[in-house]
Amino acid sequence: MKLADVAATSTSLAATSSRIAKRRLLAALLLRTAPEEVPVVARYLAGELRQRRTGLGWRSLSGMPSPAAEASLEVLAVDAAFERMAGLAGPGSAGARTAIAAELFAAATAEEQNLLRGLVAGELRQGALDSLLLDAVAEAAGIPAAAVRRAAMLAGATEPVAEAALLAGSPEAALAALEGFGLAVGRPVRPMLAASAPDVAAALAGFEGREVAVDAKLDGIRIQVHRSGDDVRVYTRSLDDITDRVPDLVEVVRRMPVQAAVLDGEAIALDASGRPRPFQETAARSATSDAEVAAAVGLTPFFFDVLHVDGTDLLDAPLTERLAVLDRIAPGSVVERVVTADVAVAEAAFAGWVAAGQEGVVVKDTAAGYEAGRRGSAWVKVKPRHTLDLVVLAVERGSGRRRGLLSNIHLGARDPDGGFVMLGKTFKGMTDEMLAWQTARFGELAVEDDGWTVRLRPEQVVEIAFDGLQRSSRYPGGLALRFARVLRYREDKTAAEADTIDTVRALAAPAGD
DNA sequence: TTCCGACAGTGGGGTCGCAAT
DNA sequence: ATTGCGACCCCACTATCGGAA
């Protein structure tokens, strides 16, 4: 298959907003794809390259040759080119990589270049990614979408499932082939995700008075651990294998009284008293492959679910049953939990854990199975929320559907000694109406424009919600907001009434930096 | 007919490792 | 030695489509 066929489909996808039409386009192309090309074409349609890391990014693509007039590229040849780039390392590799990319781009038409840029940058913007592709695979194979989804979630990947379903020959054979994608120890599944609620009462309200499990939510990194005998593998949320970087986690799981298990949990750095360290320390520890750092800062696993134990799959077992198994096999390594139907009890647990340095709670349906890859309503997270009234110092032009609008705002706290201290940026929480309003408003306040960032007279106050403060080397106050989002613009306050940097510092102090 | 679940999009800060400067 | 880039941890929120109610 020509890359041009994929590029044309991508263009058509972007041109319609109908999901049914998108599904049809995807299915049509999959049906025209040769068997050996299915893994590549499926990946490209989902907006990704097959290579996890190519070393080529958005920045490296500036200065690529102008497009070719005629389409000539074959998808397998393109995949091979990226494979060569991914294999490069050492001095001179960046130049060699750019050379391969330049050759590729020189052979690509304008439409193909668009596709390639989108794939490299991970921003295809065709309105269809992995989920819609799975639906299209189901349509092309003539089988229910649920079967394809479940297989992909358990396989931890779409391509092998697409391949099996499309090459089966008949719907019956396809369904039978997908049955083979059960949970396998040693092959990570997509983790179950949580929806969110503003507070504990709202989270419990969704369960209509039934008993729920309320887990402490730890501010670390998600881990999925597979054990088979003495072989232990540790995977991240995106199913990256990080076993080599986390020997302390491997040791804990090796000591468990089981032969085989698949566990879901969180790894976190603790201080000497067992209190959670700031997320930044857990992140630094889990990202490094430096053995000295790894030895100096310990990581501790805390599990909250179990998907398999000694030959028994627990995916479809109710949470209550899974927790009973977990408590038996992982004593001392289980996330703190209360089981209750009482809002007051849940709220007290939330307050206690937050005071102890945890991130919040996850409220769980005790009857639900483990819904791999889904962000359903069976798990609901709640975190404390802080707010500040800050001043907009500048605004950046938006892209994509925000093109032509002033989007990403720079946030500053008032400095009592004069001026403002920038604490971060945000583009979150804005409705289309707010975007239109702020585009007009900031046009009035503009004092300088470099074509991307518009500097403003510091007059507009905005109420910002955020999860906490973190150490920053980027911003002058040494502090940055974590997960900042807009709640509302405050037209009842002047910049002189905005919160001060002293208030922000006082908020940060208890965190222990 | 209305409601709501699921998806895609729009980007945020921080961290590491690596290659280039 | 420092800087820039790529990759990947953590992530919130809104608009939209289309099936469910």
Side-chain angles (χ1 to χ4, degrees), chain A residues 90 125 127 129 149 374 399 401 408 427-428 472 475:
Chain A
R125 292 171 174 160
L129 295 172
R149 269 167 195 280
R374 291 200 56 219
S399 63
R401 75 180 294 280
N408 194 9
F427 57 92
K428 295 174 185 158
S472 173
Y475 293 114

mmCIF file of all heavy atoms in Angstrom, chain A residues 90 125 127 129 149 374 399 401 408 427-428 472 475, chain B residues 6-15 17 19-20:
data_model
loop_
_atom_site.group_PDB
_atom_site.id
_atom_site.type_symbol
_atom_site.label_atom_id
_atom_site.label_comp_id
_atom_site.label_asym_id
_atom_site.label_seq_id
_atom_site.Cartn_x
_atom_site.Cartn_y
_atom_site.Cartn_z
ATOM 1 N N GLY A 90 24.760 7.472 19.427
ATOM 2 C CA GLY A 90 26.147 7.909 19.485
ATOM 3 C C GLY A 90 26.416 9.154 18.664
ATOM 4 O O GLY A 90 25.503 9.685 18.023
ATOM 5 N N ARG A 125 -4.380 15.082 14.565
ATOM 6 C CA ARG A 125 -5.566 15.943 14.492
ATOM 7 C C ARG A 125 -6.504 15.548 13.359
ATOM 8 O O ARG A 125 -6.938 16.383 12.573
ATOM 9 C CB ARG A 125 -5.149 17.411 14.342
ATOM 10 C CG ARG A 125 -4.489 17.923 15.595
ATOM 11 C CD ARG A 125 -3.876 19.295 15.401
ATOM 12 N NE ARG A 125 -3.378 19.812 16.673
ATOM 13 C CZ ARG A 125 -2.483 20.779 16.784
ATOM 14 N NH1 ARG A 125 -1.988 21.350 15.717
ATOM 15 N NH2 ARG A 125 -2.108 21.182 17.969
ATOM 16 N N GLY A 127 -9.124 13.553 14.259
ATOM 17 C CA GLY A 127 -10.350 13.254 14.987
ATOM 18 C C GLY A 127 -10.612 11.768 15.145
ATOM 19 O O GLY A 127 -11.737 11.344 15.360
ATOM 20 N N LEU A 129 -8.440 8.287 16.801
ATOM 21 C CA LEU A 129 -7.226 7.675 17.323
ATOM 22 C C LEU A 129 -7.505 6.198 17.577
ATOM 23 O O LEU A 129 -8.282 5.589 16.871
ATOM 24 C CB LEU A 129 -6.755 8.414 18.582
ATOM 25 C CG LEU A 129 -6.314 9.864 18.312
ATOM 26 C CD1 LEU A 129 -6.056 10.606 19.603
ATOM 27 C CD2 LEU A 129 -5.075 9.896 17.438
ATOM 28 N N ARG A 149 -12.446 -4.526 21.478
ATOM 29 C CA ARG A 149 -11.941 -3.702 22.569
ATOM 30 C C ARG A 149 -11.331 -4.532 23.677
ATOM 31 O O ARG A 149 -10.243 -4.265 24.159
ATOM 32 C CB ARG A 149 -13.081 -2.883 23.174
ATOM 33 C CG ARG A 149 -13.231 -1.564 22.518
ATOM 34 C CD ARG A 149 -14.537 -0.907 22.902
ATOM 35 N NE ARG A 149 -14.750 0.150 21.964
ATOM 36 C CZ ARG A 149 -14.139 1.338 22.065
ATOM 37 N NH1 ARG A 149 -13.366 1.606 23.091
ATOM 38 N NH2 ARG A 149 -14.322 2.244 21.141
ATOM 39 N N ARG A 374 -10.442 1.105 30.583
ATOM 40 C CA ARG A 374 -11.616 1.985 30.612
ATOM 41 C C ARG A 374 -11.534 3.009 31.724
ATOM 42 O O ARG A 374 -11.024 2.751 32.801
ATOM 43 C CB ARG A 374 -12.889 1.151 30.772
ATOM 44 C CG ARG A 374 -13.209 0.321 29.538
ATOM 45 C CD ARG A 374 -14.664 -0.095 29.532
ATOM 46 N NE ARG A 374 -15.559 1.037 29.613
ATOM 47 C CZ ARG A 374 -16.694 1.025 30.328
ATOM 48 N NH1 ARG A 374 -17.035 -0.039 31.007
ATOM 49 N NH2 ARG A 374 -17.467 2.083 30.340
ATOM 50 N N SER A 399 -3.773 26.917 18.951
ATOM 51 C CA SER A 399 -3.586 26.170 17.706
ATOM 52 C C SER A 399 -4.738 25.195 17.545
ATOM 53 O O SER A 399 -5.557 25.026 18.449
ATOM 54 C CB SER A 399 -2.253 25.421 17.753
ATOM 55 O OG SER A 399 -2.274 24.478 18.799
ATOM 56 N N ARG A 401 -8.135 23.714 17.020
ATOM 57 C CA ARG A 401 -9.459 24.324 17.071
ATOM 58 C C ARG A 401 -9.446 25.665 17.800
ATOM 59 O O ARG A 401 -10.448 26.375 17.818
ATOM 60 C CB ARG A 401 -10.473 23.352 17.686
ATOM 61 C CG ARG A 401 -10.399 23.170 19.167
ATOM 62 C CD ARG A 401 -11.455 22.178 19.650
ATOM 63 N NE ARG A 401 -12.823 22.650 19.489
ATOM 64 C CZ ARG A 401 -13.434 23.500 20.309
ATOM 65 N NH1 ARG A 401 -12.797 24.001 21.347
ATOM 66 N NH2 ARG A 401 -14.687 23.871 20.099
ATOM 67 N N ASN A 408 -3.630 30.307 25.825
ATOM 68 C CA ASN A 408 -2.862 29.873 26.992
ATOM 69 C C ASN A 408 -2.391 31.079 27.799
ATOM 70 O O ASN A 408 -1.593 31.872 27.318
ATOM 71 C CB ASN A 408 -1.673 29.063 26.467
ATOM 72 C CG ASN A 408 -0.977 28.281 27.543
ATOM 73 O OD1 ASN A 408 -1.451 28.185 28.669
ATOM 74 N ND2 ASN A 408 0.177 27.729 27.201
ATOM 75 N N PHE A 427 -4.315 26.592 30.054
ATOM 76 C CA PHE A 427 -5.262 26.693 28.929
ATOM 77 C C PHE A 427 -6.525 25.922 29.277
ATOM 78 O O PHE A 427 -7.412 25.759 28.460
ATOM 79 C CB PHE A 427 -4.634 26.061 27.683
ATOM 80 C CG PHE A 427 -4.255 24.630 27.943
ATOM 81 C CD1 PHE A 427 -5.140 23.602 27.670
ATOM 82 C CD2 PHE A 427 -3.042 24.323 28.500
ATOM 83 C CE1 PHE A 427 -4.802 22.279 27.944
ATOM 84 C CE2 PHE A 427 -2.704 23.003 28.780
ATOM 85 C CZ PHE A 427 -3.580 21.988 28.508
ATOM 86 N N LYS A 428 -6.589 25.405 30.518
ATOM 87 C CA LYS A 428 -7.655 24.485 30.893
ATOM 88 C C LYS A 428 -8.837 25.202 31.525
ATOM 89 O O LYS A 428 -8.674 26.217 32.171
ATOM 90 C CB LYS A 428 -7.135 23.475 31.915
ATOM 91 C CG LYS A 428 -6.083 22.547 31.406
ATOM 92 C CD LYS A 428 -5.544 21.700 32.552
ATOM 93 C CE LYS A 428 -4.387 20.841 32.108
ATOM 94 N NZ LYS A 428 -3.549 20.442 33.225
ATOM 95 N N SER A 472 10.234 24.808 41.377
ATOM 96 C CA SER A 472 10.432 25.141 39.968
ATOM 97 C C SER A 472 11.760 25.834 39.749
ATOM 98 O O SER A 472 12.144 26.720 40.505
ATOM 99 C CB SER A 472 9.309 26.063 39.494
ATOM 100 O OG SER A 472 9.574 26.521 38.187
ATOM 101 N N TYR A 475 10.536 29.219 36.985
ATOM 102 C CA TYR A 475 9.872 30.475 37.344
ATOM 103 C C TYR A 475 10.606 31.203 38.465
ATOM 104 O O TYR A 475 11.208 30.560 39.335
ATOM 105 C CB TYR A 475 8.411 30.207 37.715
ATOM 106 C CG TYR A 475 7.615 29.749 36.514
ATOM 107 C CD1 TYR A 475 7.089 28.474 36.437
ATOM 108 C CD2 TYR A 475 7.458 30.604 35.417
ATOM 109 C CE1 TYR A 475 6.390 28.053 35.315
ATOM 110 C CE2 TYR A 475 6.773 30.194 34.291
ATOM 111 C CZ TYR A 475 6.239 28.914 34.234
ATOM 112 O OH TYR A 475 5.570 28.514 33.113
ATOM 113 P P DA B 6 -18.329 4.964 29.538
ATOM 114 O OP1 DA B 6 -18.218 3.506 29.538
ATOM 115 O OP2 DA B 6 -17.799 5.774 30.660
ATOM 116 O "O5'" DA B 6 -17.697 5.524 28.193
ATOM 117 C "C5'" DA B 6 -18.215 5.044 26.956
ATOM 118 C "C4'" DA B 6 -17.479 5.708 25.822
ATOM 119 O "O4'" DA B 6 -17.924 7.076 25.689
ATOM 120 C "C3'" DA B 6 -15.960 5.765 26.002
ATOM 121 O "O3'" DA B 6 -15.370 5.369 24.780
ATOM 122 C "C2'" DA B 6 -15.688 7.229 26.350
ATOM 123 C "C1'" DA B 6 -16.811 7.942 25.616
ATOM 124 N N9 DA B 6 -17.225 9.208 26.215
ATOM 125 C C8 DA B 6 -17.394 9.485 27.546
ATOM 126 N N7 DA B 6 -17.804 10.709 27.793
ATOM 127 C C5 DA B 6 -17.913 11.277 26.527
ATOM 128 C C6 DA B 6 -18.293 12.556 26.092
ATOM 129 N N6 DA B 6 -18.654 13.540 26.932
ATOM 130 N N1 DA B 6 -18.294 12.793 24.767
ATOM 131 C C2 DA B 6 -17.932 11.813 23.932
ATOM 132 N N3 DA B 6 -17.549 10.563 24.217
ATOM 133 C C4 DA B 6 -17.560 10.356 25.547
ATOM 134 P P DC B 7 -13.784 5.236 24.619
ATOM 135 O OP1 DC B 7 -13.571 3.998 23.882
ATOM 136 O OP2 DC B 7 -13.136 5.476 25.921
ATOM 137 O "O5'" DC B 7 -13.369 6.429 23.662
ATOM 138 C "C5'" DC B 7 -14.367 7.160 23.047
ATOM 139 C "C4'" DC B 7 -13.827 8.121 22.038
ATOM 140 O "O4'" DC B 7 -14.411 9.402 22.328
ATOM 141 C "C3'" DC B 7 -12.326 8.325 22.002
ATOM 142 O "O3'" DC B 7 -11.897 8.292 20.649
ATOM 143 C "C2'" DC B 7 -12.085 9.667 22.672
ATOM 144 C "C1'" DC B 7 -13.436 10.360 22.674
ATOM 145 N N1 DC B 7 -13.836 10.948 23.991
ATOM 146 C C2 DC B 7 -14.386 12.242 23.990
ATOM 147 O O2 DC B 7 -14.531 12.827 22.911
ATOM 148 N N3 DC B 7 -14.739 12.785 25.167
ATOM 149 C C4 DC B 7 -14.577 12.107 26.306
ATOM 150 N N4 DC B 7 -14.938 12.697 27.434
ATOM 151 C C5 DC B 7 -14.030 10.793 26.317
ATOM 152 C C6 DC B 7 -13.674 10.247 25.140
ATOM 153 P P DA B 8 -10.398 8.505 20.217
ATOM 154 O OP1 DA B 8 -10.242 7.838 18.920
ATOM 155 O OP2 DA B 8 -9.542 8.159 21.366
ATOM 156 O "O5'" DA B 8 -10.276 10.078 19.993
ATOM 157 C "C5'" DA B 8 -11.100 10.704 19.024
ATOM 158 C "C4'" DA B 8 -10.871 12.202 19.029
ATOM 159 O "O4'" DA B 8 -11.382 12.753 20.265
ATOM 160 C "C3'" DA B 8 -9.402 12.620 18.934
ATOM 161 O "O3'" DA B 8 -9.316 13.621 17.945
ATOM 162 C "C2'" DA B 8 -9.070 13.139 20.331
ATOM 163 C "C1'" DA B 8 -10.424 13.624 20.841
ATOM 164 N N9 DA B 8 -10.610 13.539 22.284
ATOM 165 C C8 DA B 8 -10.269 12.490 23.092
ATOM 166 N N7 DA B 8 -10.571 12.682 24.362
ATOM 167 C C5 DA B 8 -11.150 13.936 24.379
ATOM 168 C C6 DA B 8 -11.681 14.706 25.427
ATOM 169 N N6 DA B 8 -11.715 14.325 26.700
ATOM 170 N N1 DA B 8 -12.183 15.925 25.106
ATOM 171 C C2 DA B 8 -12.147 16.320 23.830
ATOM 172 N N3 DA B 8 -11.679 15.677 22.761
ATOM 173 C C4 DA B 8 -11.184 14.477 23.112
ATOM 174 P P DG B 9 -7.913 14.325 17.587
ATOM 175 O OP1 DG B 9 -7.994 14.667 16.157
ATOM 176 O OP2 DG B 9 -6.829 13.479 18.102
ATOM 177 O "O5'" DG B 9 -7.945 15.663 18.429
ATOM 178 C "C5'" DG B 9 -9.017 16.562 18.222
ATOM 179 C "C4'" DG B 9 -8.901 17.711 19.193
ATOM 180 O "O4'" DG B 9 -9.145 17.237 20.537
ATOM 181 C "C3'" DG B 9 -7.533 18.402 19.223
ATOM 182 O "O3'" DG B 9 -7.794 19.791 19.193
ATOM 183 C "C2'" DG B 9 -6.933 17.966 20.561
ATOM 184 C "C1'" DG B 9 -8.191 17.816 21.409
ATOM 185 N N9 DG B 9 -8.093 16.928 22.559
ATOM 186 C C8 DG B 9 -7.590 15.643 22.589
ATOM 187 N N7 DG B 9 -7.665 15.089 23.771
ATOM 188 C C5 DG B 9 -8.253 16.064 24.569
ATOM 189 C C6 DG B 9 -8.588 16.048 25.945
ATOM 190 O O6 DG B 9 -8.418 15.141 26.763
ATOM 191 N N1 DG B 9 -9.168 17.253 26.352
ATOM 192 C C2 DG B 9 -9.400 18.325 25.528
ATOM 193 N N2 DG B 9 -9.964 19.389 26.097
ATOM 194 N N3 DG B 9 -9.096 18.360 24.244
ATOM 195 C C4 DG B 9 -8.526 17.199 23.832
ATOM 196 P P DT B 10 -6.713 20.807 18.702
ATOM 197 O OP1 DT B 10 -7.407 21.858 17.942
ATOM 198 O OP2 DT B 10 -5.591 20.077 18.092
ATOM 199 O "O5'" DT B 10 -6.193 21.418 20.081
ATOM 200 C "C5'" DT B 10 -7.022 22.325 20.786
ATOM 201 C "C4'" DT B 10 -6.415 22.614 22.136
ATOM 202 O "O4'" DT B 10 -6.627 21.477 23.002
ATOM 203 C "C3'" DT B 10 -4.889 22.848 22.109
ATOM 204 O "O3'" DT B 10 -4.595 24.112 22.644
ATOM 205 C "C2'" DT B 10 -4.321 21.720 22.971
ATOM 206 C "C1'" DT B 10 -5.507 21.380 23.857
ATOM 207 N N1 DT B 10 -5.458 20.028 24.447
ATOM 208 C C2 DT B 10 -5.929 19.872 25.743
ATOM 209 O O2 DT B 10 -6.384 20.780 26.390
ATOM 210 N N3 DT B 10 -5.838 18.597 26.233
ATOM 211 C C4 DT B 10 -5.335 17.480 25.583
ATOM 212 O O4 DT B 10 -5.300 16.391 26.135
ATOM 213 C C5 DT B 10 -4.868 17.710 24.236
ATOM 214 C C7 DT B 10 -4.314 16.573 23.448
ATOM 215 C C6 DT B 10 -4.955 18.953 23.742
ATOM 216 P P DG B 11 -3.317 24.936 22.122
ATOM 217 O OP1 DG B 11 -3.118 26.117 22.989
ATOM 218 O OP2 DG B 11 -3.421 25.133 20.708
ATOM 219 O "O5'" DG B 11 -2.191 23.861 22.368
ATOM 220 C "C5'" DG B 11 -1.094 24.044 23.227
ATOM 221 C "C4'" DG B 11 -1.442 23.720 24.668
ATOM 222 O "O4'" DG B 11 -2.104 22.431 24.695
ATOM 223 C "C3'" DG B 11 -0.234 23.532 25.575
ATOM 224 O "O3'" DG B 11 0.091 24.749 26.190
ATOM 225 C "C2'" DG B 11 -0.700 22.510 26.603
ATOM 226 C "C1'" DG B 11 -2.015 21.967 26.023
ATOM 227 N N9 DG B 11 -1.935 20.502 26.020
ATOM 228 C C8 DG B 11 -1.446 19.694 25.019
ATOM 229 N N7 DG B 11 -1.478 18.434 25.321
ATOM 230 C C5 DG B 11 -1.998 18.402 26.602
ATOM 231 C C6 DG B 11 -2.251 17.311 27.468
ATOM 232 O O6 DG B 11 -2.043 16.125 27.260
ATOM 233 N N1 DG B 11 -2.778 17.715 28.670
ATOM 234 C C2 DG B 11 -3.035 19.003 29.015
ATOM 235 N N2 DG B 11 -3.539 19.202 30.221
ATOM 236 N N3 DG B 11 -2.829 20.038 28.225
ATOM 237 C C4 DG B 11 -2.304 19.662 27.042
ATOM 238 P P DG B 12 1.523 24.851 26.924
ATOM 239 O OP1 DG B 12 1.826 26.284 27.004
ATOM 240 O OP2 DG B 12 2.444 23.916 26.273
ATOM 241 O "O5'" DG B 12 1.242 24.292 28.395
ATOM 242 C "C5'" DG B 12 0.504 25.082 29.305
ATOM 243 C "C4'" DG B 12 0.564 24.459 30.676
ATOM 244 O "O4'" DG B 12 -0.145 23.202 30.645
ATOM 245 C "C3'" DG B 12 1.963 24.101 31.147
ATOM 246 O "O3'" DG B 12 2.483 25.196 31.892
ATOM 247 C "C2'" DG B 12 1.758 22.916 32.065
ATOM 248 C "C1'" DG B 12 0.445 22.316 31.584
ATOM 249 N N9 DG B 12 0.613 21.025 30.934
ATOM 250 C C8 DG B 12 0.560 20.723 29.598
ATOM 251 N N7 DG B 12 0.720 19.451 29.346
ATOM 252 C C5 DG B 12 0.891 18.879 30.599
ATOM 253 C C6 DG B 12 1.105 17.530 30.980
ATOM 254 O O6 DG B 12 1.192 16.544 30.257
ATOM 255 N N1 DG B 12 1.228 17.397 32.356
ATOM 256 C C2 DG B 12 1.147 18.423 33.253
ATOM 257 N N2 DG B 12 1.293 18.100 34.533
ATOM 258 N N3 DG B 12 0.943 19.679 32.916
ATOM 259 C C4 DG B 12 0.822 19.836 31.584
ATOM 260 P P DG B 13 4.083 25.260 32.124
ATOM 261 O OP1 DG B 13 4.338 26.588 32.689
ATOM 262 O OP2 DG B 13 4.805 24.793 30.927
ATOM 263 O "O5'" DG B 13 4.323 24.165 33.250
ATOM 264 C "C5'" DG B 13 3.861 24.401 34.570
ATOM 265 C "C4'" DG B 13 4.555 23.434 35.494
ATOM 266 O "O4'" DG B 13 4.170 22.093 35.141
ATOM 267 C "C3'" DG B 13 6.086 23.484 35.367
ATOM 268 O "O3'" DG B 13 6.663 23.428 36.659
ATOM 269 C "C2'" DG B 13 6.428 22.286 34.520
ATOM 270 C "C1'" DG B 13 5.309 21.305 34.840
ATOM 271 N N9 DG B 13 4.998 20.458 33.689
ATOM 272 C C8 DG B 13 4.701 20.862 32.415
ATOM 273 N N7 DG B 13 4.507 19.877 31.592
ATOM 274 C C5 DG B 13 4.681 18.746 32.363
ATOM 275 C C6 DG B 13 4.603 17.365 32.023
ATOM 276 O O6 DG B 13 4.359 16.874 30.926
ATOM 277 N N1 DG B 13 4.844 16.539 33.113
ATOM 278 C C2 DG B 13 5.130 16.983 34.380
ATOM 279 N N2 DG B 13 5.338 16.048 35.308
ATOM 280 N N3 DG B 13 5.205 18.271 34.717
ATOM 281 C C4 DG B 13 4.978 19.087 33.663
ATOM 282 P P DG B 14 8.249 23.408 36.796
ATOM 283 O OP1 DG B 14 8.531 23.968 38.110
ATOM 284 O OP2 DG B 14 8.852 23.972 35.572
ATOM 285 O "O5'" DG B 14 8.590 21.844 36.822
ATOM 286 C "C5'" DG B 14 7.987 21.041 37.816
ATOM 287 C "C4'" DG B 14 8.557 19.635 37.742
ATOM 288 O "O4'" DG B 14 8.034 18.961 36.579
ATOM 289 C "C3'" DG B 14 10.082 19.587 37.619
ATOM 290 O "O3'" DG B 14 10.592 18.714 38.613
ATOM 291 C "C2'" DG B 14 10.344 19.063 36.228
ATOM 292 C "C1'" DG B 14 9.072 18.325 35.874
ATOM 293 N N9 DG B 14 8.745 18.400 34.455
ATOM 294 C C8 DG B 14 8.554 19.532 33.698
ATOM 295 N N7 DG B 14 8.264 19.277 32.452
ATOM 296 C C5 DG B 14 8.266 17.892 32.380
ATOM 297 C C6 DG B 14 8.023 17.026 31.277
ATOM 298 O O6 DG B 14 7.760 17.325 30.121
ATOM 299 N N1 DG B 14 8.121 15.688 31.641
ATOM 300 C C2 DG B 14 8.415 15.239 32.906
ATOM 301 N N2 DG B 14 8.472 13.924 33.069
ATOM 302 N N3 DG B 14 8.641 16.030 33.942
ATOM 303 C C4 DG B 14 8.553 17.336 33.608
ATOM 304 P P DT B 15 12.134 18.610 38.884
ATOM 305 O OP1 DT B 15 12.259 18.307 40.313
ATOM 306 O OP2 DT B 15 12.814 19.781 38.304
ATOM 307 O "O5'" DT B 15 12.573 17.345 38.038
ATOM 308 C "C5'" DT B 15 12.188 16.047 38.483
ATOM 309 C "C4'" DT B 15 12.546 15.031 37.430
ATOM 310 O "O4'" DT B 15 11.770 15.293 36.251
ATOM 311 C "C3'" DT B 15 13.990 15.112 36.959
ATOM 312 O "O3'" DT B 15 14.793 14.241 37.732
ATOM 313 C "C2'" DT B 15 13.906 14.600 35.518
ATOM 314 C "C1'" DT B 15 12.446 14.704 35.159
ATOM 315 N N1 DT B 15 12.186 15.532 33.954
ATOM 316 C C2 DT B 15 11.865 14.887 32.795
ATOM 317 O O2 DT B 15 11.797 13.679 32.720
ATOM 318 N N3 DT B 15 11.628 15.702 31.723
ATOM 319 C C4 DT B 15 11.688 17.078 31.698
ATOM 320 O O4 DT B 15 11.443 17.697 30.675
ATOM 321 C C5 DT B 15 12.037 17.695 32.952
ATOM 322 C C7 DT B 15 12.139 19.178 33.034
ATOM 323 C C6 DT B 15 12.265 16.899 34.007
ATOM 324 P P DG B 17 19.670 9.685 33.968
ATOM 325 O OP1 DG B 17 19.997 8.322 34.438
ATOM 326 O OP2 DG B 17 20.506 10.841 34.341
ATOM 327 O "O5'" DG B 17 19.561 9.671 32.382
ATOM 328 C "C5'" DG B 17 18.772 8.678 31.738
ATOM 329 C "C4'" DG B 17 18.958 8.797 30.239
ATOM 330 O "O4'" DG B 17 18.398 10.057 29.783
ATOM 331 C "C3'" DG B 17 20.417 8.799 29.790
ATOM 332 O "O3'" DG B 17 20.517 7.980 28.633
ATOM 333 C "C2'" DG B 17 20.720 10.259 29.500
ATOM 334 C "C1'" DG B 17 19.366 10.795 29.069
ATOM 335 N N9 DG B 17 19.123 12.200 29.365
ATOM 336 C C8 DG B 17 19.375 12.856 30.549
ATOM 337 N N7 DG B 17 19.018 14.115 30.526
ATOM 338 C C5 DG B 17 18.494 14.297 29.254
ATOM 339 C C6 DG B 17 17.949 15.456 28.645
ATOM 340 O O6 DG B 17 17.809 16.583 29.128
ATOM 341 N N1 DG B 17 17.527 15.208 27.343
ATOM 342 C C2 DG B 17 17.621 13.992 26.708
ATOM 343 N N2 DG B 17 17.173 13.935 25.463
ATOM 344 N N3 DG B 17 18.125 12.895 27.271
ATOM 345 C C4 DG B 17 18.542 13.126 28.529
ATOM 346 P P DA B 19 23.954 9.582 22.123
ATOM 347 O OP1 DA B 19 23.713 8.527 21.136
ATOM 348 O OP2 DA B 19 25.116 9.526 23.031
ATOM 349 O "O5'" DA B 19 23.989 10.987 21.365
ATOM 350 C "C5'" DA B 19 22.847 11.372 20.624
ATOM 351 C "C4'" DA B 19 23.008 12.801 20.168
ATOM 352 O "O4'" DA B 19 22.833 13.684 21.304
ATOM 353 C "C3'" DA B 19 24.369 13.129 19.559
ATOM 354 O "O3'" DA B 19 24.137 13.829 18.353
ATOM 355 C "C2'" DA B 19 25.073 13.953 20.623
ATOM 356 C "C1'" DA B 19 23.907 14.602 21.373
ATOM 357 N N9 DA B 19 24.148 14.837 22.799
ATOM 358 C C8 DA B 19 24.755 14.002 23.699
ATOM 359 N N7 DA B 19 24.805 14.491 24.918
ATOM 360 C C5 DA B 19 24.198 15.726 24.807
ATOM 361 C C6 DA B 19 23.940 16.737 25.751
ATOM 362 N N6 DA B 19 24.283 16.653 27.037
ATOM 363 N N1 DA B 19 23.319 17.843 25.305
ATOM 364 C C2 DA B 19 22.973 17.931 24.027
ATOM 365 N N3 DA B 19 23.159 17.038 23.046
ATOM 366 C C4 DA B 19 23.786 15.954 23.510
ATOM 367 P P DA B 20 25.347 14.493 17.519
ATOM 368 O OP1 DA B 20 24.953 14.356 16.098
ATOM 369 O OP2 DA B 20 26.641 13.973 17.993
ATOM 370 O "O5'" DA B 20 25.222 16.021 17.924
ATOM 371 C "C5'" DA B 20 23.976 16.677 17.744
ATOM 372 C "C4'" DA B 20 24.075 18.129 18.185
ATOM 373 O "O4'" DA B 20 24.256 18.179 19.627
ATOM 374 C "C3'" DA B 20 25.246 18.904 17.580
ATOM 375 O "O3'" DA B 20 24.782 20.204 17.260
ATOM 376 C "C2'" DA B 20 26.282 18.907 18.701
ATOM 377 C "C1'" DA B 20 25.399 18.959 19.940
ATOM 378 N N9 DA B 20 25.980 18.362 21.148
ATOM 379 C C8 DA B 20 26.620 17.154 21.257
ATOM 380 N N7 DA B 20 27.015 16.868 22.478
ATOM 381 C C5 DA B 20 26.615 17.964 23.221
ATOM 382 C C6 DA B 20 26.743 18.279 24.587
ATOM 383 N N6 DA B 20 27.326 17.477 25.478
ATOM 384 N N1 DA B 20 26.237 19.448 25.012
ATOM 385 C C2 DA B 20 25.636 20.248 24.113
ATOM 386 N N3 DA B 20 25.448 20.064 22.811
ATOM 387 C C4 DA B 20 25.969 18.889 22.423
#
